[in-house]
Amino acid sequence: MSAGRFLLLETPLTEDTEIELPFEVAHQARDVLRLGVGGTIRLLDGAGGECPAQLIEVSRKRVMVRLGAREEGLFDPPVRVTLCLGMLKAAKFEVALQKCTELGVATFVPLLTERAVRDEVSEAKLRRWRGILAEALEQCGGSHMPELAAPQSLSQALADLPPGGIALFPWEETREPSLRVALEEAVAQAGGIEHMHKVRLFIGPEGGFSPAEAELAGRHGARLVTLGQRILRAETAAIVASALALDALGALE
Ligand code: SAM
């Protein structure tokens, strides 16, 4: 049983090749997991592939591994869920990134909305957020690295709705339908779950979406839905909406 899973985005995982582990992964394997020669870890290429890697050299200077056969990762949902999330205070945004990656969200779009707390994201912040996605992927058993898009305005995110997909817009001022009912109706219209490949979820920032933004979403064909009578914090709403959508489409089975 391999001890740890590590994402190596830049390294081709070719069977029977020997590679030197990057510094951080070497540290994890040697000092944290305390593995020696003969120990095994799993390496992910982030595009659905993973392979066992046996430690063949372990020293303070470096850790070398020999790669086994590449295997297709098991636990990636058949439906692509994109979460468009209003820009929250960083810590809350990062909680949503981590939890929704664990659940199986495929793409994250930071949304610039009327009431968003910030209107830009530094490259350093985007690097940190990609690190959070990578760690959550390694931990949850998934093998497709989620995509982190550059921040978009609400109208941009509404404009490029994928064909054949559905856009769901939870808005706290909506009484009905629930997200589950809206998704069931969309699945029935599409002729079954197997025909529903893309779902785009929109979650507002701490201050919520404005009525004008909800109206804009409706005009673009997004379905306004409720997540119940309680007003959820934005990061909670992001996790709940993602779980409901993935579950309704059979991805949490
Ligand atoms: N002020 C709170 C906060 O600090 O997080 C509330 C934020 S606001 C309600 C966040 C977003 O979560 C909303 O724009 C909406 O997308 C979603 N949301 C929260 N509760 C909801 C509900 N009961 N029904 C539909 N959407 C909801």
Side-chain angles (χ1 to χ4, degrees):
M1 177 60 188
S2 62
R5 304 174 82 248
F6 301 99
L7 183 68
L8 292 192
L9 283 174
E10 273 86 40
T11 313
L13 302 180
T14 314
E15 185 173 3
D16 278 339
T17 55
E18 296 175 0
I19 62 167
E20 178 174 345
L21 292 179
F23 177 82
E24 184 45 38
V25 179
H27 162 64
Q28 289 290 324
R30 179 190 53 226
D31 311 326
V32 180
L33 298 171
R34 298 186 173 288
L35 295 175
V37 170
T40 58
I41 57 174
R42 285 189 81 73
L43 299 177
L44 327 179
D45 63 10
E50 45 188 278
C51 71
Q54 187 169 49
L55 279 63
I56 55 173
E57 180 190 326
V58 179
S59 69
R60 295 303 326 148
K61 215 156 54 55
R62 68 180 190 171
V63 175
M64 294 290 293
V65 294
R66 179 175 301 114
L67 303 184
R70 183 183 186 280
E71 301 147 7
E72 279 308 313
L74 292 176
F75 305 117
D76 288 298
V79 58
R80 254 193 101 72
V81 172
T82 294
L83 175 63
C84 304
L85 177 57
M87 298 284 267
L88 312 177
K89 293 195 183 80
K92 295 179 178 183
F93 199 85
E94 293 171 6
V95 165
L97 289 178
Q98 184 194 54
K99 305 305 175 196
C100 294
T101 296
E102 287 173 36
L103 285 165
V105 166
T107 304
F108 294 91
V109 179
L111 266 186
L112 306 171
T113 62
E114 279 176 33
R115 300 171 183 166
V117 295
R118 65 176 66 229
D119 55 10
E120 60 180 16
V121 185
S122 67
E123 197 36 54
K125 187 66 82 181
L126 286 174
R127 256 198 315 279
R128 175 182 160 75
W129 289 352
R130 287 194 193 95
I132 289 169
L133 300 182
E135 232 172 79
L137 185 75
E138 291 167 350
Q139 179 274 327
C140 75
S143 53
H144 281 88
M145 175 66 173
E147 185 199 340
L148 176 63
Q152 288 179 12
S153 67
L154 179 60
S155 47
Q156 273 174 309
L158 286 165
D160 74 2
L161 291 180
I166 179 174
L168 298 170
F169 192 95
W171 193 36
E172 58 277 20
E173 298 184 21
T174 303
R175 287 287 152 266
E176 55 163 7
S178 69
L179 187 147
R180 181 178 50 73
V181 168
L183 210 38
E184 281 168 3
E185 289 170 2
V187 165
Q189 221 170 2
I193 282 182
E194 63 284 4
H195 301 295
M196 178 63 67
H197 304 299
K198 295 192 176 111
V199 174
R200 184 165 286 220
L201 300 170
F202 292 82
I203 299 288
E206 281 94 341
F209 287 121
S210 68
E213 288 172 325
E215 201 263 327
L216 177 74
R219 265 192 285 120
H220 277 81
R223 191 91 191 267
L224 276 57
V225 298
T226 180
L227 295 175
Q229 293 177 17
R230 296 160 181 256
I231 301 299
L232 308 177
R233 287 180 178 282
E235 64 275 21
T236 312
I239 298 164
V240 169
S242 302
L244 287 171
L246 287 158
D247 184 45
L249 294 165
L252 299 185
E253 284 164 8

